[in-house]
Amino acid sequence: MSAESVHNTVAVVAYHQISPFHLAVPCMVFGEDLARLGAPRYELMVCAAEPGPLRTMAGFSIDAPYGLERLGDAGTIVVPAWRDPAERPPQALLDALVAAHARGARIVGLCLGAFVLAEAGLLDGRSASTHWVWMDDFAERYPHVLLKRDVLYVDDGDIITSAGTAAAIDCCLYLLRRDHGAEVANRVARRMVVAPHRHGGQAQYIEQPVPKMDHTDRLNSTLEWALANLHEPLSLDALADRAAMSRRTFTRRFKSTTGTSVTQWLLSQRLAHAQRLLETTDQTMDRIAESSGFGSTVSLRQHFAAAFATSPASYRRSFRGT
């Protein structure tokens, strides 16, 4: 198998009492016919971690065509939500994941799949997320994992984990976007009738998403205005004035709503805006820096490199080939 085919091969692990939803999410995202979108198609393999047929949580059974031996052929391995956080996964699965990671595979744990990765020792010293209901249990059992409680998913390079349920969709679409760019991911998301990108999932720099609220809410209206005016020299005082709140009240409301500070939120949104322009336009770096509110290309490069460990120019080349 060539290096390119390995990179575009996705193995999804299945087991007894798996959630049909969590099994279906990576199959839908990575099983899409990407050739018509001008991107390489993934080879998708569903691999049974246990002898089948595998009975799902919904009562019906599935017959996975492959076993754990095929994990050795995959560039990306997705572990959907594990059936019971209190149950240790099969040793054969843990060993296969460790071996795959050691040879350079990208490992993804969706929702309670993070428990499987942690049990394999792959998350020690790394950042990760999981379903909020089980976070305290996770933190107690795996104290060496840097648990992120307020994110949709965490990208720690070759290990990616997601929060619960619908965040699995966000995580898989993010990986598709990372592999093939925003336009491909957006078109797949539209076919799935889901948001192509929710605030909170930008590579290693991830924040809590801003909840959808009534448009008459002053804070929400102010945040929407800020997103439409990132080129302006926005400040905490300016946003508080626009929301007709005191600085202290605005800061408290903002933190409780977004889970982060105004400074960090603005930086995240400006970086996300710059990413979209780099992925989808031919605008100059000067224009992107101005539109995103960085003021200068020097500032754009500094913040971009700090957040993503790459330059804007290199990022553009990786997504657009230019």
Side-chain angles (χ1 to χ4, degrees):
M1 182 174 289
S2 68
E4 181 178 356
S5 62
V6 168
H7 177 73
N8 287 308
T9 301
V10 176
V12 181
V13 179
Y15 27 77
H16 287 293
Q17 293 302 310
I18 194 169
S19 159
F21 173 83
H22 282 282
L23 177 61
V25 168
C27 291
M28 288 185 67
V29 174
F30 300 115
E32 175 76 19
D33 182 6
L34 301 179
R36 59 190 174 77
L37 302 181
R41 184 173 186 174
Y42 294 100
E43 179 186 354
L44 182 69
M45 305 183 298
V46 177
C47 303
E50 300 167 300
L54 304 175
R55 191 165 182 81
T56 70
M57 286 183 174
F60 60 84
S61 297
I62 60 173
D63 186 13
Y66 305 107
L68 290 177
E69 70 279 357
R70 293 304 303 273
L71 298 191
D73 300 325
T76 298
I77 298 171
V78 181
V79 182
W82 178 236
R83 59 185 173 230
D84 182 0
E87 178 187 350
R88 192 173 190 272
Q91 187 63 44
L93 172 57
L94 302 179
D95 291 343
L97 292 174
V98 170
H101 180 256
R103 67 164 174 81
R106 180 171 62 182
I107 312 295
V108 183
L110 301 178
C111 189
L112 298 182
F115 278 80
V116 180
L117 274 58
E119 191 65 32
L122 296 177
L123 297 181
D124 287 352
R126 289 176 174 263
S127 297
S129 185
T130 191
H131 196 294
W132 65 270
V133 170
W134 296 95
M135 280 189 175
D136 289 341
D137 297 77
F138 187 96
E140 181 177 357
R141 191 180 310 175
Y142 306 111
H144 299 299
V145 180
L146 308 176
L147 186 61
K148 302 295 185 181
R149 294 176 177 266
D150 297 318
V151 299
L152 292 176
Y153 50 86
V154 175
D155 180 344
D156 201 314
D158 55 358
I159 300 281
I160 299 94
T161 52
S162 83
T165 316
I169 300 176
D170 296 291
C171 183
C172 289
L173 286 173
Y174 163 72
L175 291 171
L176 181 62
R177 180 177 183 268
R178 198 174 92 169
D179 288 350
H180 298 301
E183 182 57 28
V184 170
N186 290 352
R187 292 180 68 178
V188 171
R190 284 195 291 270
R191 286 177 60 87
M192 295 175 64
V193 198
V194 296
H197 170 68
R198 292 195 287 169
H199 296 304
Q202 290 298 318
Q204 294 89 350
Y205 196 88
I206 305 174
E207 64 170 3
Q208 183 180 12
V210 178
K212 295 295 183 183
M213 299 171 8
D214 189 334
H215 286 286
T216 61
D217 181 272
R218 288 181 297 172
L219 176 60
N220 191 57
S221 297
T222 299
L223 298 188
E224 291 182 349
W225 176 84
L227 289 174
N229 292 274
L230 290 173
H231 59 283
E232 298 286 345
L234 304 173
S235 67
L236 170 58
D237 289 332
L239 294 177
D241 287 344
R242 187 169 186 87
M245 299 179 190
S246 69
R247 180 190 178 99
R248 182 176 180 179
T249 299
F250 183 83
T251 300
R252 185 178 67 253
R253 287 276 315 274
F254 190 96
K255 178 70 174 181
S256 65
T257 299
T258 67
T260 189
S261 68
V262 173
T263 300
Q264 291 297 330
W265 184 84
L266 282 172
L267 177 58
S268 178
Q269 302 311 319
R270 285 177 164 140
L271 286 167
H273 184 67
Q275 284 182 301
R276 287 191 291 272
L277 294 178
L278 289 166
E279 294 169 10
T280 61
T281 77
D282 294 317
Q283 291 183 20
T284 66
M285 291 298 170
D286 286 341
R287 182 70 187 92
I288 291 174
E290 178 184 354
S291 176
S292 303
F294 287 105
S296 70
T297 56
V298 172
S299 179
L300 170 62
R301 291 191 188 102
Q302 289 175 340
H303 287 294
F304 207 91
F308 307 119
T310 188
S311 68
S314 295
Y315 183 87
R316 168 174 272 173
R317 283 194 296 271
S318 69
F319 277 96
R320 293 171 58 79
T322 58

